[in-house]
Structure formats: structure tokens, C-alpha cells
Amino acid sequence: MPDSIKRFIADSVLQPDEIGESPCVVHSFLRGNELYFLKTSPSIYAGTTYSVLREAAVLQWLAGRLKVPEVIVTA
């Protein structure tokens, strides 16, 4: 896991989140009183619609246009 993400998660406990249908791995965690999600995908999905970097870019583009989750950090 990249250091930037490790620093953000810090000592939070990752809980598996199995809601959703993508082949990606999703965990939720609390940081203070805020709920966050960590989504990872194997590199085999890098060029597909399952790419988490692609999804992050789409969410960042949609921000301000629609109500979407905020992307905090990508790596």
C-alpha cells in the first residue's frame, strides 16, 4: 500500500465492505467521526472500467456537477 494512503488510514481499523458488484476490494474505516472507504483493485483491471484510478478521475470530474463521494487520496 502506498505511504500516502497508509498515512491517511493511520491506526484506523479496516472493515471489509462487500456491498457492490465490482471485482475490487473495498474496506471501510473510521477516522475520527468520519466514515471513509478504501477501494483497491489488482493491476489487471488498470485498463478497464474497474480501474480505481479511472473511477477516482470520474468522481473528481463529477464533483461540483453532481453529489458524489469526495476523493481524498489516490496512488
Side-chain angles (χ1 to χ4, degrees):
M1 183 179 310
D3 287 341
S4 58
I5 294 175
K6 285 181 188 177
R7 282 192 302 274
F8 186 80
I9 294 170
D11 60 353
S12 300
V13 177
L14 297 177
Q15 300 292 328
D17 184 298
E18 297 183 8
I19 297 173
E21 298 186 22
S22 83
C24 298
V25 177
V26 179
H27 288 90
S28 63
F29 62 97
L30 287 172
R31 186 170 183 231
N33 292 326
E34 296 288 326
L35 178 63
Y36 293 91
F37 293 88
L38 170 65
K39 187 172 189 177
T40 60
S41 65
S43 59
I44 191 169
Y45 296 118
T48 73
T49 57
Y50 294 124
S51 165
V52 292
L53 292 177
R54 178 191 167 282
E55 182 176 346
V58 169
L59 290 173
Q60 289 169 325
W61 184 85
L62 286 171
R65 294 174 172 88
L66 295 173
K67 187 175 180 176
V68 295
E70 179 182 3
V71 176
I72 304 296
V73 64
T74 60

